Amino acid sequence: MILPIYIYGQPVLRKVAQDIPKDFPEQEELIENMFETLAASEGIGLAAPQIGRDIRVVVIDLDVLSDDLPEYKGFKKAFINPHIIEYDDTEVASSEEGCLSLPGIHEKVKRPTRIHVRWEDADRNEHDEWIEGYLARVMQHEFDHLDGKMFIDRITPLRKTMIKNKLKSLMLGKYRCGYRTKPVRK
């Protein structure tokens, strides 16, 4: 089922998400719905808070980028209870980011190129590894949602001031995008 994407200003986007237990009853259906929603919105990553759930579940599909980044051919994974354990700040890169919860807004964000992450896959196998490159950026972006953060929290105060009116428009429901959304209604 395609679910609506929660838009900037929705309180769930600023909550710290909770880990889910191993016997979480709707895990399989939730992951399936998240991947379907992600595909319908033409995104590459989706965190549970973006569909109104304050739980630590993220789906990432980088296969859509495999023409330009062949190393991600077939990459489509769910991350359960993910946590970034450590950031390797020795190399930081700046790249433009966008977000399904912030339609029409794209800004350059500096992030470490390497992170240490722990998570469980959809079969609840535990993983603990260092991730590098583009996947590390996507994980940081999506996992930020689980901690109540958005990429606009990582831009300069000047840039945030410059997009203030766009953010206000999002909160008022004045935006256009090609996927189902759940705007803030005042």
Side-chain angles (χ1 to χ4, degrees), residues 85-108:
I85 306 305
E86 186 179 351
Y87 295 88
D88 179 352
D89 290 328
T90 53
E91 189 176 330
V92 176
S94 183
S95 188
E96 190 172 276
E97 294 186 19
C99 180
L100 296 173
S101 294
L102 293 157
I105 298 178
H106 297 84
E107 293 289 329
K108 284 203 174 263

Side-chain angles (χ1 to χ4, degrees), residues 2-181:
I2 297 171
L3 305 168
I5 305 287
Y6 281 52
I7 299 299
Y8 177 79
Q10 287 281 5
V12 70
L13 295 172
R14 293 305 192 174
K15 288 181 78 176
V16 175
Q18 301 301 308
D19 282 355
I20 62 171
K22 294 237 188 253
D23 61 350
F24 188 70
E26 58 187 291
Q27 176 186 309
E28 190 175 324
E29 180 184 5
L30 175 67
I31 290 170
E32 186 178 305
N33 290 343
M34 287 179 71
F35 273 122
E36 196 173 331
T37 301
L38 181 62
S41 58
E42 298 182 358
I44 58 171
L46 183 65
Q50 292 180 275
I51 56 163
R53 305 289 302 271
D54 63 342
I55 55 176
R56 298 188 80 84
V57 179
V58 166
V59 297
I60 296 175
D61 183 353
L62 296 182
D63 185 62
V64 296
L65 304 174
S66 63
D67 287 347
D68 295 324
L69 300 168
E71 65 269 30
Y72 296 120
K73 181 78 177 154
F75 188 100
K76 184 177 177 180
K77 292 184 181 179
F79 298 85
I80 311 294
N81 300 333
H83 293 273
I84 297 175
I85 306 305
E86 186 179 351
Y87 295 88
D88 179 352
D89 290 328
T90 53
E91 189 176 330
V92 176
S94 183
S95 188
E96 190 172 276
E97 294 186 19
C99 180
L100 296 173
S101 294
L102 293 157
I105 298 178
H106 297 84
E107 293 289 329
K108 284 203 174 263
V109 179
K110 286 183 182 177
R111 294 191 187 270
T113 59
R114 186 170 179 260
I115 56 173
H116 179 199
V117 187
R118 283 193 193 124
W119 79 92
E120 297 168 37
D121 60 31
D123 296 323
R124 300 312 285 262
N125 297 309
E126 294 182 14
H127 299 265
D128 182 331
E129 61 187 275
W130 284 91
I131 306 292
E132 297 183 22
Y134 190 71
L135 178 57
R137 173 172 293 278
V138 175
M139 284 178 149
Q140 288 173 80
H141 177 107
E142 297 307 330
F143 298 176
D144 270 356
H145 281 297
L146 304 178
D147 294 324
K149 295 181 181 145
M150 301 179 86
F151 82 86
I152 56 170
D153 300 330
R154 300 193 179 279
I155 62 176
T156 66
L158 174 62
R159 288 302 309 157
K160 192 137 184 196
T161 299
M162 293 176 77
I163 64 168
K164 188 169 86 175
N165 287 336
K166 287 182 180 180
L167 294 173
K168 192 176 195 178
S169 291
L170 290 176
M171 290 181 68
L172 295 173
K174 297 178 181 177
Y175 59 89
R176 287 185 183 190
C177 62
Y179 47 88
R180 279 183 68 200
T181 63

